Amino acid sequence: MRAVQREGRDALAGKLAAEFGVSEDTIRRDLRELAAEGRLQRVHGGALPASPAIAPFGVRHDLESAAKEKIARRAASMIAPGQTVIVVGGTTSVALVKALPPNLRATIVTHSPSVAAALADHATIEVILIGGLLFKHSVVAVGAAAMEGISRIHADLYFMGVTGVHVTARLSTGDFEEAAIKRALAARSAETVVLASSSKLNAASPFVIGDITLAQTIVVEAQCAAELTRPIEEAGVSVLRA
């Protein structure tokens, strides 16, 4: 597993077999077992660490909480008065809307009941809640009804949550339907900003949302290692540190 974390996508069976002095079949078997345990994600040409962010909503609440709070505050500062902003579900998104200034006038569109509830007492934020089939793992609406609601929006800014960020494995998440919703939301916004703590960088999940350039900006915590963010910047995506 350390070799996968070190090598990333370049963790090829032949290369690892030579390094450890075992057969390629042995390496492939080990990779299959690690993937079955949820410890890595196999991708074309190699393997990447699996994102811890695919855990259920309640479990994710306490993961990297300090980093999430910093990212959320930085993201909240990007919203200008009068904007229409899409905020997806997730623990960082809930922290984001709680960090909004009490006098901010804006419209927040969300498919997350948790995000909407966090804004219930905000006097000057108009909240548009997109309905649909409740995906209980992430507590968000998905499906045909959600897609219909999304198609009626033109937003200035979209804050996207992902579970994996990798230049070649792309932006990814743990559910097929949720990936489709995230793509649709990006298509309805002038600018997409990905909120990603460092554990999501150089990691992958089973379902691709889109190329890394689907986002114009990725917000990470200030302590995020430069070797994780450099490939993102080289791909033409801005990185903001919180």
Side-chain angles (χ1 to χ4, degrees):
M1 188 61 201
R2 289 193 185 96
V4 172
Q5 292 171 328
R6 183 185 71 243
E7 301 289 345
R9 190 182 179 89
D10 296 327
L12 303 176
K15 185 175 182 180
L16 294 177
E19 178 179 346
F20 294 107
V22 297
S23 70
E24 290 189 28
D25 284 343
T26 298
I27 294 294
R28 292 192 188 96
R29 184 189 66 236
D30 289 346
L31 292 176
R32 284 195 296 270
E33 290 176 355
L34 287 167
E37 293 170 6
R39 298 173 64 188
L40 62 79
Q41 177 64 50
R42 299 186 77 184
V43 296
H44 181 71
L48 290 168
S51 172
I54 60 174
F57 183 88
V59 175
R60 298 198 311 272
H61 185 271
D62 295 324
L63 292 176
E64 300 180 302
S65 56
K68 289 177 181 178
E69 289 290 339
K70 292 176 182 177
I71 291 169
R73 288 195 296 270
R74 182 67 179 89
S77 72
M78 299 173 70
I79 301 176
Q83 285 189 321
T84 297
V85 179
I86 300 169
V87 180
V88 295
T91 52
T92 306
S93 295
V94 171
L96 186 165
V97 296
K98 287 181 177 179
L100 293 176
N103 61 343
L104 177 68
R105 291 186 177 276
T107 299
I108 300 295
V109 181
T110 185
H111 66 138
S112 165
S114 302
V115 168
L119 288 167
D121 293 328
H122 197 299
T124 57
I125 295 287
E126 183 175 56
V127 181
I128 298 174
L129 178 59
I130 295 172
L133 177 68
L134 183 66
F135 177 44
K136 295 180 181 179
H137 177 277
S138 298
V139 196
V140 293
V142 297
M147 285 292 196
E148 171 65 17
I150 289 166
S151 71
R152 308 299 182 184
I153 298 164
H154 284 296
D156 299 293
L157 194 58
Y158 165 37
F159 290 107
M160 180 195 289
V162 302
T163 57
V165 178
H166 192 275
V167 170
T168 51
R170 303 185 278 175
L171 302 173
S172 57
T173 192
D175 180 76
F176 181 79
E177 292 285 349
E178 200 171 11
I181 291 287
K182 291 175 187 288
R183 276 195 303 277
L185 288 167
R188 307 308 302 172
S189 182
E191 182 180 355
T192 295
V193 177
V194 167
L195 310 179
S197 52
S198 57
S199 66
K200 299 176 183 179
L201 306 187
N202 198 41
S205 293
F207 301 102
V208 173
I209 301 164
D211 290 341
I212 197 164
T213 52
L214 186 67
Q216 285 72 51
T217 305
I218 294 181
V219 184
V220 301
E221 69 266 37
Q223 297 78 15
C224 189
E227 58 264 29
L228 292 177
T229 59
R230 190 177 300 113
I232 296 169
E233 293 172 306
E234 290 173 351
V237 180
S238 298
V239 174
L240 293 182
R241 293 179 178 270

